[in-house]
Amino acid sequence: MRHDLEQDEEKQEEASVQEAIGLAPKLIYEVIRREGEEEMARPKRSLIWSGIAAGVMISLSVLGEAIFRTYLPDVPHSYLIENLGYSLGFLAVILGRMQLFTENTITTVLPVMVQRTWSSFGCMLRLWGIVLAANVVGAFAVAALFVFTPALPPDIMPAVIDLSHHATGMGAQASFWRGIPAGVIVALIVWMMPQAESSKFLLIMAFTWLIAAGDFTHIVAGSVEMAVLVWMGDLGAAQAVGGFFLPVLAGNIIGGTAIFTLMAWGQVRDELSAD
């Protein structure tokens, strides 16, 4: 009896130690890799509707920031507070498990790093194309709601327009370089989520606030701002695509895939090879 009690105590202590240690990098990698495989196996229709929903819901980032900008007093530190509104769309999309393109720059790449075949690479590109197109469709749909209907109060729309001009007016080169940190930050959020447990809300809020406060560029949230100006006639198609969309897209992919994902792979490559 006493021996059994001692064994139970040892098991409880070991469980407490394992809980305190948390997930090793290899296990985090495995969690995200399996999520990526599940995403690539989902039906096309599910990806499309989930991507459209993400494109619509990410507009809460633009809307939240515009509301703060409209009603906060004009003081120097109000900039830091208004950028908290930028987190709203990301909270809705990530916690709602919707398909956001910049999440897939790490989630769907990790399975390809393990199983380097043309088939898996093709599945990754297929998912990227579907999700990005769906995100843009959702962004243009919600931007049309903002521009062509009285859905937004008249007091808020000027702030939306002001934010849109700022996001799309920094030039192709600046848009590209500022897209790289945003890609890294979103990939970092994905990497930390399996370990976050009950603090996921604060994790997403803090790091997406950093994207806004650092004036970095995000392809999906920025597509809402781009679409607002396109629908209003303030931004031509050539400038929208060549001056904003493609440079930001390239920056986000480089940040999320070429930089962060390769660093994550480097952490676990030898351990996975040994296994």
Side-chain angles (χ1 to χ4, degrees):
M1 183 69 177
R2 183 177 179 182
H3 179 69
D4 292 340
L5 289 174
E6 288 177 352
Q7 285 186 327
D8 290 341
E9 288 178 1
E10 289 177 0
K11 289 179 181 178
Q12 290 174 0
E13 288 175 0
E14 180 62 24
S16 299
V17 169
Q18 292 298 327
E19 185 177 349
I21 292 174
L23 294 177
K26 184 176 71 172
L27 296 180
I28 295 174
Y29 188 99
E30 182 63 17
V31 169
I32 299 173
R33 185 190 68 80
R34 292 186 184 184
E35 288 181 359
E37 288 183 342
E38 290 176 4
E39 296 296 345
M40 287 193 289
R42 291 182 67 185
K44 185 187 297 184
R45 185 176 300 179
S46 299
L47 294 173
I48 291 172
W49 283 110
S50 183
I52 292 173
V56 172
M57 289 296 103
I58 203 70
S59 67
L60 295 177
S61 290
V62 181
L63 183 58
E65 197 172 355
I67 291 172
F68 276 116
R69 175 169 292 197
T70 300
Y71 297 112
L72 280 174
D74 188 13
V75 294
H77 63 268
S78 64
Y79 172 79
L80 298 176
I81 300 173
E82 75 179 40
N83 285 315
L84 288 172
Y86 190 79
S87 300
L88 296 177
F90 288 91
L91 285 166
V93 170
I94 297 174
L95 294 180
R97 303 285 295 175
M98 301 172 197
Q99 286 289 340
L100 187 66
F101 173 76
T102 45
E103 281 189 272
N104 287 318
T105 57
I106 177 172
T107 306
T108 56
V109 174
L110 295 189
V112 178
M113 301 294 288
V114 174
Q115 197 174 32
R116 281 167 281 184
T117 64
W118 285 112
S119 176
S120 60
F121 184 70
C123 288
M124 182 195 76
L125 292 181
R126 164 187 170 272
L127 187 142
W128 277 19
I130 292 172
V131 171
L132 180 61
N135 286 168
V136 173
V137 168
F140 268 83
V142 75
L145 179 72
F146 291 170
V147 173
F148 298 120
T149 75
L152 293 187
D155 292 345
I156 296 174
M157 195 60 192
V160 172
I161 296 171
D162 185 48
L163 288 168
S164 300
H165 277 292
H166 175 75
T168 59
M170 60 181 64
Q173 186 174 3
S175 296
F176 167 75
W177 288 110
R178 294 190 188 186
I180 293 175
V184 171
I185 291 170
V186 174
L188 178 61
I189 293 172
V190 175
W191 183 261
M192 291 189 293
M193 286 286 280
Q195 187 81 333
E197 296 181 354
S198 60
S199 61
K200 289 180 180 180
F201 182 94
L202 292 176
L203 169 68
I204 297 167
M205 185 175 69
F207 282 93
T208 53
W209 170 85
L210 183 61
I211 294 175
D215 206 15
F216 304 131
T217 51
H218 185 270
I219 187 60
V220 185
S223 290
V224 177
E225 296 164 319
M226 178 187 73
V228 166
L229 298 184
V230 169
W231 287 129
M232 293 179 62
D234 290 355
L235 188 65
Q239 178 60 25
V241 175
F244 176 77
F245 188 85
L246 292 179
V248 175
L249 176 63
N252 286 173
I253 291 174
I254 290 173
T257 300
I259 296 178
F260 189 89
T261 304
L262 289 179
M263 289 192 299
W265 168 249
Q267 290 187 69
V268 300
R269 178 180 180 180
D270 292 340
E271 296 172 77
L272 294 174
S273 298
D275 291 342

